[in-house]
Amino acid sequence: MPELPTVSDSIEGYDAEIIRRVWALAQTIPGNDPEVWRKDEFGAWIHRADYRNRHSDYGWEIADYGYSRRATGLASLRPMQWQNHLDFMIAARNQAVVTADGLRNARRLL
């Protein structure tokens, strides 16, 4: 079985093939180009070109569930809107704080 690429040592993080494969795990939305727009597992919009862009409402990052679910490789990775990713990493919340409100993302009060 071929070995999956891992996190690189560069500032860019994951290599392009892993980023592409993780993007493909995001939810597709009818009427939207799946190569451009998708939603994360909490329903927040993410834009393909905004990977690692925390200045965009639609920026996204790769969350690694492996440490808590004992998964490895691609099975442990998920695309996540960047604010949801921060909450996942810092607060370890199980609920999303950012979700879609029509065509925009909105912070949900918990």
Side-chain angles (χ1 to χ4, degrees):
M1 185 159 136
E3 193 172 314
L4 285 176
T6 58
V7 176
S8 78
D9 293 329
S10 71
I11 194 163
E12 289 83 28
Y14 292 94
D15 73 25
E17 178 60 15
I18 291 295
I19 295 166
R20 184 191 65 74
R21 291 173 74 177
V22 170
W23 174 258
L25 297 172
Q27 179 184 4
T28 59
I29 309 303
N32 291 278
D33 183 345
E35 294 301 316
V36 179
W37 292 103
R38 293 186 181 226
K39 287 186 178 181
D40 73 7
E41 64 189 76
F42 302 112
W45 288 104
I46 55 178
H47 188 270
R48 176 65 182 92
D50 285 343
Y51 174 63
R52 296 188 71 181
N53 181 357
R54 292 187 177 177
H55 297 287
S56 169
D57 286 341
Y58 311 108
W60 63 286
E61 298 183 7
I62 296 175
D64 187 345
Y65 280 99
Y67 75 91
S68 64
R69 295 185 181 176
R70 298 186 187 269
T72 58
L74 189 63
S76 70
L77 304 179
R78 297 289 179 274
M80 197 175 288
Q81 194 272 349
W82 73 267
Q83 291 164 303
N84 287 338
H85 182 253
L86 285 181
D87 287 337
F88 167 80
M89 294 300 297
I90 296 168
R93 296 180 182 162
N94 291 326
Q95 297 177 335
V97 295
V98 176
T99 190
D101 181 12
L103 298 177
R104 301 188 56 101
N105 283 335
R107 184 170 286 279
R108 180 175 36 179
L109 298 175
L110 298 176

